[in-house]
Amino acid sequence: DIPIIGNGDLFSYADYKKHVLDPIDLAANEEKTALSRTAMLARGALIKPWLATEIKEARVWDISATERFDMLRKFCHYGLEQWGSDTQGVQTTRRFLLEWLSFLHRYIPVGLLKEGEEQQQQQSLNQRPPTFMEGRSELETLLLSPHCHDWIQISERLLGKAPEGFQFEPKHNANSYTSTSTGTSSKT
């Protein structure tokens, strides 16, 4: 038997159960199945790097801004270890961090989801935070920001001051960002 591995659009344990586990249980009742309990995590893991833990532990994790910032700190540590702590290594780490932040800012903390929304405590993969969403702390609000200049500010907390005139524009085509540290939109 060749196992079949599901791919993409998983953003929570509920998604994993619905799209992976439930079809396996249904198929197992009918006949032998080649379906696998394995699934590939793509964008969901870029936005919620703790997604594998949520799935493994079959739970929703209302991860704090401090815990998320600690993940960023660890990411920067690994980047500096890989590329060096000289000017070029710091800038390479900063660019990769900013690309990742262009995905991470899309996470809406469970405690901020409005009651009455579908599945109350579950964000959908394509759901974005409102433009001016306020977090439960200053750090959480900064992590929710869709603005490049705020991501640069986060990078400065971790890697020191960005070079004079530094600007950043994500490489992917998301429409929820501003293109530079000045906050101007690149979309027309």
Side-chain angles (χ1 to χ4, degrees):
D1 287 344
I2 298 174
I4 298 171
I5 298 174
N7 181 24
D9 286 352
L10 297 178
F11 200 57
S12 65
Y13 173 73
D15 289 343
Y16 175 75
K17 182 174 180 342
K18 178 181 176 184
H19 298 294
V20 178
L21 296 182
D22 290 349
I24 289 172
D25 293 342
L26 181 64
N29 290 334
E30 295 172 9
E31 59 184 68
K32 188 175 178 185
T33 179
L35 293 175
S36 171
R37 292 185 180 274
T38 304
M40 289 187 268
L41 305 179
R43 283 181 301 161
L46 283 172
I47 298 167
K48 287 172 56 175
W50 55 92
L51 179 57
T53 303
E54 282 189 1
I55 291 171
K56 180 180 178 185
E57 297 175 4
R59 70 179 176 120
V60 174
W61 185 0
D62 187 11
I63 189 168
S64 72
T66 304
E67 290 171 301
R68 290 163 52 208
F69 193 76
D70 287 343
M71 286 181 185
L72 297 174
R73 187 184 323 275
K74 192 180 247 186
F75 178 88
C76 289
H77 172 77
Y78 293 144
L80 295 173
E81 210 173 69
Q82 173 67 30
W83 294 299
S85 57
D86 62 347
T87 302
Q88 184 175 354
V90 171
Q91 290 312 97
T92 301
T93 301
R94 185 182 315 276
R95 291 245 176 233
F96 277 94
L97 174 64
L98 291 168
E99 285 294 343
W100 190 28
L101 284 167
S102 73
F103 284 94
L104 282 177
H105 85 277
R106 298 179 192 182
Y107 170 68
I108 303 172
V110 173
L112 298 180
L113 290 172
K114 294 178 184 167
E115 295 213 17
E117 286 184 4
E118 185 181 333
Q119 306 237 344
Q120 190 173 350
Q121 301 236 313
Q122 184 176 324
Q123 175 186 359
S124 67
L125 184 61
N126 293 316
Q127 181 182 2
R128 307 285 174 90
T131 304
F132 299 105
M133 184 170 219
E134 201 168 316
R136 296 168 286 195
S137 68
E138 181 267 336
L139 179 58
E140 190 167 70
T141 301
L142 192 59
L143 289 169
L144 284 164
S145 174
H147 303 291
C148 293
H149 60 87
D150 289 330
W151 306 340
I152 292 170
Q153 185 181 345
I154 293 168
S155 81
E156 290 178 334
R157 289 184 181 194
L158 295 161
L159 297 167
K161 186 96 175 101
E164 192 66 35
F166 179 82
Q167 294 186 347
F168 172 73
E169 183 174 334
K171 291 182 179 177
H172 60 85
N173 275 336
N175 63 0
S176 66
Y177 63 83
T178 53
S179 66
T180 65
S181 60
T182 60
T184 59
S185 176
S186 67
K187 302 294 179 188
T188 54

